[in-house]
Amino acid sequence: YQYSRGYGTAPLSRAFASASSQFLSYGAAILSYPSTISVWFNVATLGTYYLVCSGNSTTNADYFAINIDGSGFVRLSASVTGTGAAADAITTTTFTTNTWNHAIGVLASATNRFALLNGGGISNVSINNTTPAGLDLFAVGVLNRLSPTGYTDGLIADVAIWNVALSATEYGLLDTIVEFNGVLGYTPPFVVRPDALVGYWPLFGNGSPELDQSGNVRNLVLNNAPTKGASKPSIVYPPNLSWASGS
């Protein structure tokens, strides 16, 4: 399967089993203020699953994270000791199980954070003044910290991080259907503010590590053997890319 040919049904995502504590990791924080997170997910059942995070290896209190909860909402968290849920920005709409959904989290500043789901359902703008400290971990599929929790049970794909707060026009592109050579799909992350893209992991589901396609070489280590996903969100890629998977 050649990525430059656009969307296909070949396995091009990562499948995580919470019972096996599977996740992907990188040994530095990556997330800070400002940042924008984009991630696609597909889960069969409702639960508290952490999709992307930066945590602190010496405490459970300090972290940035985007997760889904047992009621079907997307939450963007900035946590320090004593903040609890007051620091969460929560979407006003819920996701559908057994289909691909797209979550965006914008960490604009210590007093300005919000989340979106499938291009809408924009959350409250969290104004709790919160700046996590000592972050030294980055992970996909878990809240990675002193005592990891919230392992994802399902599929994750196309994780991207920018070191800016994308504008509404910019993050709106990620939920815009485009056509290339007759192929319809969503805009790929690397064409949105490429100057600020600090990590991009399509999650091919092949090999280890999962490669960072942003050019920053923040490759993700596989922990406890997450497997290939059986499907992938419909994202269009132009033909000049040389990435390949499954070859």
Side-chain angles (χ1 to χ4, degrees):
Y1 180 83
Q2 184 72 30
Y3 226 19
S4 62
R5 295 181 65 83
Y7 172 62
T9 57
L12 287 172
S13 61
R14 273 289 169 191
F16 299 85
S18 59
S20 299
S21 302
Q22 295 173 340
F23 66 102
L24 308 175
S25 64
Y26 178 73
I30 303 182
L31 291 174
S32 62
Y33 291 122
S35 291
T36 301
I37 308 162
S38 173
V39 55
W40 287 82
F41 65 94
N42 184 339
V43 297
T45 59
L46 296 177
T48 299
Y49 303 135
Y50 281 82
L51 304 173
V52 179
C53 82
S54 283
N56 185 323
S57 62
T58 65
T59 179
N60 289 327
D62 291 83
Y63 59 84
F64 289 119
I66 190 164
N67 72 286
I68 54 181
D69 66 22
S71 297
F73 295 98
V74 171
R75 291 174 174 261
L76 179 67
S77 303
S79 175
V80 299
T81 301
T83 57
D88 289 0
I90 307 169
T91 56
T92 58
T93 54
T94 58
F95 65 87
T96 301
T97 55
N98 293 304
T99 191
W100 282 103
N101 297 274
H102 184 216
I104 292 175
V106 180
L107 297 163
S109 73
T111 57
N112 185 337
R113 300 177 295 278
F114 57 93
L116 298 99
L117 173 62
N118 296 326
I122 189 166
S123 70
N124 56 304
V125 175
S126 175
I127 58 173
N128 186 304
N129 193 333
T130 307
T131 302
L135 304 185
D136 59 355
L137 302 170
F138 179 81
V140 173
V142 68
L143 175 53
N144 202 14
R145 55 184 185 176
L146 177 62
S147 301
T149 190
Y151 292 93
T152 292
D153 205 40
L155 307 177
I156 298 178
D158 261 71
V159 177
I161 307 290
W162 294 261
N163 63 0
V164 296
L166 294 182
S167 69
T169 298
E170 290 165 342
Y171 62 66
L173 290 173
L174 299 170
D175 284 292
T176 299
I177 297 289
V178 295
E179 180 179 352
F180 190 87
N181 286 351
V183 177
L184 290 174
Y186 291 100
T187 304
F190 61 83
V191 304
V192 178
R193 288 297 302 271
D195 59 304
L197 189 66
V198 295
Y200 175 47
W201 305 271
L203 302 188
F204 292 131
N206 290 296
S208 178
E210 282 283 4
L211 299 181
D212 174 9
Q213 300 289 352
S214 73
N216 291 292
V217 201
R218 294 183 168 112
N219 300 328
L220 300 180
V221 175
L222 277 65
N223 296 267
N224 302 317
T227 57
K228 278 185 185 180
S231 65
K232 176 80 171 180
S234 178
I235 298 172
V236 172
Y237 294 85
N240 60 332
L241 292 182
S242 59
W243 309 343
S245 176
S247 56

